[in-house]
Amino acid sequence: MTAPVKELNLNGKVAVVTGGGGVICSTMAKALAKHGVKTAILDLNLEAAQRVAEEIKSETGIESIGFSANVLERSSLEEAKKAINQQLGKIDFLVNGAGGNAASATSKVEKMAPEDKLEDTFFGLQLEGFDKTFDLNFKGTLLPTLVFASDMVDQKAGGIVNISSMNSYRPLTRIPAYSASKAAINNFTQWLAVHFAKTGVRVNAIAPGFLLTNQNRFLLVDEKTGEATPRGQKITNGTPMERYGTPEELTGTLLYLLSDWSEFITGIVIPVDGGFSAYSGV
Ligand code: NAD
């Protein structure tokens, strides 16, 4: 007789989702709730966090609470942890989703040409923008992990999923700070996976490909014609499936990485990218 298929074993667990008021992580939190996971939605933007938690409760009937927390302030995370422990119980899962880029660490030109103004190139990048971007993406993953993973180690079980990016494998033009900080997340994912390997806590990451969201639509689609902009065209040309992904298409991988279906998997970064990272462009 063949062994029965393993259960996902997500029901009744407690997940902290940072950046949970945003596009990707609100969708991730909803997918967790649909599988019975109680969610703590953490965001700088309390209103967004509370709105997502309300939507989750009304759509699934599963407990969800929105908290205001800054992933760069240990004290605010510790305060949130106390409230989460009281209201939802011990933490089983952490999704490190808060992240982003800073305009002052973005070059105006893709490839420098001799006639370019220096301020439009590498030489115009601001250290302050690098600090902001590195802090948010890297320390913003490190600090929540320091605060929330202790419950998992205590329980000898748990799962952490970091949100990386296509930039982590090969940098995209113009955004060196974002690219390097996401590369650091991949490296940290592997380091912590090894460090925690005997504790029962697994650490993995998802590298989303290109998603068309309300925030980047104006860059990728011409408002008047509805046609792709040149940057949008480059993205779909570089994606073998020739389309954008959706936040919903990341959720299967998240559930997989947190569930017992992946119980021997730790330290990996899964690209969910329509083939972008596999394609040389030729
Ligand atoms: P988003 O801007 O919609 O969500 C990010 C959320 O993080 C926001 O709600 C914001 O308020 C919150 N946040 C920002 N700083 C914070 C802080 N210091 N403390 C707590 N919360 C903070 O962005 P998104 O597109 O949903 O991105 C989510 C994650 O996915 C990010 O890590 C991003 O780098 C990554 N990502 C996005 C894409 C994409 O195409 N959108 C692709 C690859 C990776």
Side-chain angles (χ1 to χ4, degrees):
M1 222 171 81
T2 52
V5 175
K6 231 176 197 320
E7 295 294 326
L8 286 172
N9 195 17
L10 295 169
N11 194 33
K13 297 281 179 19
V14 174
V16 173
V17 182
T18 75
V23 177
I24 289 181
C25 290
S26 59
T27 305
M28 287 185 160
K30 286 177 186 177
L32 287 168
K34 282 185 188 142
H35 286 78
V37 178
K38 295 184 265 182
T39 49
I41 311 297
L42 265 57
D43 207 289
L44 262 190
N45 181 343
L46 176 62
E47 210 185 307
Q50 287 178 333
R51 192 192 59 242
V52 171
E54 284 308 319
E55 286 170 5
I56 288 176
K57 278 190 288 188
S58 71
E59 285 168 27
T60 65
I62 302 291
E63 238 179 313
S64 179
I65 305 175
F67 295 94
S68 155
N70 183 349
V71 293
L72 300 177
E73 261 179 41
R74 193 169 182 150
S75 58
S76 104
L77 296 166
E78 276 165 353
E79 223 171 274
K81 180 171 184 293
K82 261 192 221 146
I84 294 164
N85 287 158
Q86 274 167 9
Q87 297 175 56
L88 297 177
K90 287 249 189 193
I91 294 154
D92 303 288
F93 302 140
L94 170 64
V95 180
N96 279 310
N101 184 41
S104 55
T106 303
S107 71
K108 289 220 171 75
V109 299
E110 288 188 356
K111 293 183 201 160
M112 187 173 176
E115 64 276 15
D116 285 331
K117 283 191 267 166
L118 280 188
E119 67 260 32
D120 292 344
T121 71
F122 167 67
F123 296 101
L125 298 173
Q126 302 293 312
L127 191 57
E128 157 268 332
F130 272 79
D131 285 343
K132 261 195 197 159
T133 309
F134 265 84
D135 279 357
L136 178 56
N137 293 303
F138 184 68
K139 285 195 203 154
T141 293
L142 175 69
L143 270 178
T145 306
L146 277 169
V147 171
F148 299 118
S150 58
D151 273 9
M152 303 180 202
V153 172
D154 282 350
Q155 299 183 106
K156 300 188 175 58
I160 299 169
V161 172
N162 299 325
I163 306 301
S164 181
S165 162
M166 278 302 105
N167 292 279
S168 65
Y169 305 110
R170 275 180 308 161
L172 296 193
T173 55
R174 303 184 54 211
I175 47 175
Y178 184 71
S179 301
S181 66
K182 289 294 188 180
I185 287 183
N186 291 13
N187 190 281
F188 176 62
T189 300
Q190 292 179 312
W191 184 87
L192 194 63
V194 172
H195 190 70
F196 277 171
K198 295 203 295 183
T199 66
V201 182
R202 298 185 295 109
V203 189
N204 294 293
I206 295 175
F210 293 87
L211 313 180
L212 185 60
T213 62
N214 286 336
Q215 279 127 307
N216 61 17
R217 193 174 303 272
F218 72 101
L219 285 173
L220 306 178
V221 181
D222 187 308
E223 224 178 283
K224 287 187 194 129
T225 63
E227 301 284 313
T229 61
R231 193 171 175 88
Q233 194 60 58
K234 268 198 205 173
I235 289 172
T236 43
N237 286 348
T239 303
M241 289 192 185
E242 296 181 7
R243 67 170 179 84
Y244 295 101
T246 64
E248 288 74 17
E249 285 174 316
L250 302 172
T251 59
T253 307
L254 176 75
L255 297 172
Y256 168 68
L257 288 175
L258 291 177
S259 76
D260 285 359
W261 282 14
S262 62
E263 65 187 348
F264 196 49
I265 292 180
T266 195
I268 66 166
V269 182
I270 301 187
V272 183
D273 65 349
F276 183 90
S277 58
Y279 184 42
S280 71
V282 179

